[in-house]
Amino acid sequence: MKPSIINPVRSWTLLPVAAALALSLSACGGGGGGIASTSATPAAGKSTLTGAVIDAPIANAVVTFTTGAPLGQQGYVVVGNATADANGNYTVTVALPNTTAPLFANATSPGGQVVLTAYLGASSAVLAAGSLTSANLPNLVISQVTTAALAVYVAAGGSYATLTPTLYAALLSQHHDDILALSAAVKAVADGYCAKPSQYKDTDDMARGIAMNGVTVTSSTTGTSSTLTAASTTLGSSCDSNLKDLMQYITSDERWAPELDLGDVLEQGAPAVAAGSYSLQGVLAQSGMGTVPMLPTPPASGASAATLPPTVSVLPPGILNTVVTVDAKGDVSSADGSGHVTGVVVSNLMTLTVNDGKGNTYVLAGKVGLLPTGFVAGGSTPVPGPSAPASSASGVLSPVNGTVGYGLRMGGRTQSGGVLTRFDAVLVPQGSQPGWSSIPQTRSDDSHGMSCQSGQFGVRLMGTGSTIGGLVLGACVAPQPTGLALSPAMLASNSHEASDDDFRPGSSVSFGNFALNNTSGTPYIVSAPTVTITKSNGGSGTLSVTGQMFYVMGAKDMIFSTATPTFNGLFVMNENPLDKLQETPSNQDH
């Protein structure tokens, strides 16, 4: 595996190498969607599965479970069927083979225009688990994210028959921006905001077509488009504003954020966070977008509906800095008893309700994982609280030492108004200090055609949201004692994968050097007060936007915020030395 970002337009041969270093990606449930748990006991040799078909909820969708490949693809075998209710929810008991064959869920809307697919892991693992909901297996919510992930996997050369949880974990990390861009395209068409091109029979067919145009490359190909460029070309420029907004919508939604980061492996057993008290430091970034109403009928293929509802006013990014206690059962609460933070950890899934102390309450869900060795130094050893001794639950992790911390990648919404919000945070020992300068300074000259000097590594940052959507920054990152220094990367002459606008290939995007520095109160959060990004359209002039940049250790995105008007966008990243998390001390995540 390349130690820095893997070029999304490259052959598949590198992914198994990366996967060999990755642990099986742990899954967790997406919140929302009206998914109910079930206590039914399946018959011997069968599993009871409860999930949903949600892009917007797709009423009366036909759900088909297959092994070997998705429905209609070579090698598929049907093992069960169900019909979703009026809210897109389903429950079915299916007889599953006790083999390691990959298991897939497939959903088709009435009329067949919307087709979604999802990878569920090995059939034998799902069979052994018995009754499952999306609280244990997030991809039981069959969605635009799960559909996009499989389309990217195949376009990059993967085989359905050999798909494993480890490969899927590496896929989500190495192709994060490809999957996000394609997810936005699928959602835009499935929800009726953009027209499905007539050459595609359904949304799954379209997803595979876009992925083939944006991801596939041979070793001799240069200058091919990104997946976002391919999506824009396929759907037409009238859809561009929807794609920009939907990318941020998906990353900020508590249903989709776990699917982008957690994947398919069953989430069972002890909480990943050891019992004790921790400093919770994070950034809350409201998107300005709320819940999009469900359309009354599946979209027609020949006409687009109106664009997404206009964004509402948002608050500037909010810094959360508080102390929480995690007990041996995984329950999370404010250490001072205020109730400002409550939640639960189930293996690597965390759900939180957070009051920011300024009258805003957020409901969030996402992944929690161990920060790499060296990222956290010193601090007091977390000690289990008296209300929940370590012996109160069997099999829980013992308290960690003072050098272990956790990264949180979450999406959610305000409790009042439902404004979608991104939450990047850490759980770290009180009094500990971040090892910013311990981040590996791994150089990779061929990541997206970027070349960085010794002591730096390349990062491709792709913008989401109405203001910076599609803008790509090719940056060289140099770890510093108090944070990170970013400078424009040197680009090869044939590079079209960085420092451009994915919606307008051929344009040039640049930025000035800036430093992200921390403060003594929140040392795991770094920010730069002034970052100016300039887009040049050749002879048609330039456009500049200036804002503030935030980054939280271990996050997979940087938050960019402008003041007038207030806008919070995200620059998302593929795998690089900044964003590696582990699920357990013995296993490396993607």
Side-chain angles (χ1 to χ4, degrees):
M1 181 185 72
K2 293 182 181 180
S4 182
I5 298 178
I6 303 299
N7 192 330
V9 284
R10 52 107 172 101
S11 66
W12 187 254
T13 56
L14 292 174
L15 184 53
V17 178
L21 302 176
L23 69 92
S24 298
L25 190 62
S26 189
C28 65
I35 303 168
S37 62
T38 176
S39 59
T41 301
K46 296 183 178 182
S47 290
T48 299
L49 307 176
T50 299
V53 184
I54 298 180
D55 187 82
I58 300 178
N60 305 314
V62 175
V63 181
T64 305
F65 294 90
T66 59
T67 57
L71 186 67
Q73 302 302 308
Q74 184 176 1
Y76 81 92
V77 177
V78 175
V79 294
N81 293 281
T83 300
D85 64 17
N87 296 312
N89 299 324
Y90 66 86
T91 296
V92 61
T93 299
V94 294
L96 298 176
N98 190 19
T99 70
T100 58
L103 177 66
F104 301 89
N106 312 266
T108 304
S109 68
Q113 292 291 309
V114 178
V115 174
L116 305 173
T117 59
Y119 170 61
L120 304 180
S123 177
S124 55
V126 176
L127 175 63
S131 295
L132 291 171
T133 73
S134 62
N136 306 108
L137 185 55
N139 286 8
L140 284 172
V141 176
I142 313 166
S143 74
Q144 74 279 354
V145 174
T146 59
T147 303
L150 287 175
V152 169
Y153 171 74
V154 171
S159 165
Y160 290 126
T162 58
L163 180 56
T164 65
T166 303
L167 281 177
Y168 196 77
L171 169 75
L172 293 178
S173 181
Q174 296 178 356
H175 288 279
H176 181 77
D177 58 6
D178 295 300
I179 294 169
L180 178 58
L182 188 53
S183 297
V186 174
K187 186 170 179 62
V189 170
D191 287 0
Y193 292 106
C194 301
K196 177 176 65 61
S198 59
Q199 68 265 35
Y200 298 113
K201 63 181 180 180
D202 54 51
T203 53
D204 182 53
D205 185 35
M206 182 191 74
R208 286 184 276 112
I210 293 173
M212 290 297 292
N213 290 329
V215 178
T216 304
V217 67
T218 66
S219 59
S220 60
T221 301
T222 60
T224 53
S225 68
S226 72
T227 301
L228 181 55
T229 302
S232 173
T233 301
T234 300
L235 298 180
S237 60
S238 62
C239 191
D240 287 354
S241 62
N242 288 317
L243 294 177
K244 293 177 182 180
D245 286 337
L246 285 171
M247 286 191 296
Q248 186 161 350
Y249 184 106
I250 292 166
T251 58
S252 300
D253 192 299
E254 75 273 14
R255 295 166 296 184
W256 318 136
E259 288 190 334
L260 279 168
D261 218 327
L262 283 161
D264 58 288
V265 180
L266 301 182
E267 196 69 79
Q268 295 177 315
V273 179
S277 295
Y278 295 90
S279 172
L280 174 61
Q281 301 175 30
V283 179
L284 291 154
Q286 295 183 3
S287 69
M289 291 175 283
T291 304
V292 179
M294 174 183 171
L295 299 179
T297 58
S301 61
S304 296
T307 57
L308 287 163
T311 57
V312 300
S313 59
V314 300
L315 298 173
I319 305 298
L320 185 69
N321 184 19
T322 189
V323 178
V324 299
T325 298
V326 181
D327 71 18
K329 296 179 293 183
D331 293 330
V332 183
S333 59
S334 297
D336 61 5
S338 65
H340 283 174
V341 179
T342 60
V344 64
V345 185
V346 178
S347 192
N348 289 91
L349 167 67
M350 176 176 278
T351 56
L352 289 177
T353 300
V354 173
N355 185 311
D356 65 2
K358 301 177 182 178
N360 306 293
T361 299
Y362 301 84
V363 179
L364 307 156
K367 177 172 183 175
V368 56
L370 284 164
L371 292 167
T373 300
F375 278 38
V376 182
S380 57
T381 301
V383 178
S387 61
S391 60
S392 64
S394 61
V396 299
L397 299 176
S398 60
V400 297
N401 61 42
T403 62
V404 173
Y406 305 88
L408 280 59
R409 303 170 181 170
M410 309 184 80
R413 62 194 69 211
T414 57
Q415 203 168 60
S416 175
V419 179
L420 293 173
T421 301
R422 182 71 184 182
F423 183 51
D424 295 329
V426 294
L427 277 175
V428 291
Q430 296 179 69
S432 66
Q433 292 298 314
W436 290 107
S437 57
S438 296
I439 295 172
Q441 300 171 14
T442 308
R443 183 181 178 186
S444 179
D445 288 343
D446 57 351
S447 293
H448 306 288
M450 293 186 292
S451 178
C452 298
Q453 298 177 357
S454 177
Q456 299 176 324
F457 54 88
V459 173
R460 183 182 190 268
L461 298 160
M462 184 187 75
T464 71
S466 58
T467 299
I468 59 172
L471 300 185
V472 178
L473 308 183
C476 290
V477 179
Q480 307 289 317
T482 60
L484 306 168
L486 278 74
S487 58
M490 295 176 287
L491 302 179
S493 60
N494 63 352
S495 173
H496 297 278
E497 284 299 298
S499 300
D500 69 353
D501 181 353
D502 277 356
F503 289 107
R504 299 292 179 269
S507 60
S508 175
V509 176
S510 61
F511 65 95
N513 296 1
F514 64 92
L516 295 161
N517 291 311
N518 63 7
T519 65
S520 59
T522 53
Y524 290 87
I525 302 171
V526 293
S527 64
T530 305
V531 176
T532 299
I533 301 167
T534 301
K535 174 185 171 182
S536 174
N537 296 315
S540 60
T542 62
L543 176 67
S544 294
V545 58
T546 298
Q548 193 172 8
M549 193 82 84
F550 298 84
Y551 181 69
V552 181
M553 179 171 277
K556 212 168 184 61
D557 55 74
M558 293 186 182
I559 298 165
F560 181 78
S561 179
T562 59
T564 308
T566 301
F567 164 82
N568 301 323
L570 302 176
F571 279 104
V572 299
M573 302 181 284
N574 283 345
E575 183 178 79
N576 68 84
L578 290 175
D579 67 352
K580 292 181 178 295
L581 294 181
Q582 295 172 267
E583 292 191 348
T584 69
S586 60
N587 291 309
Q588 175 63 45
D589 198 355
H590 46 281

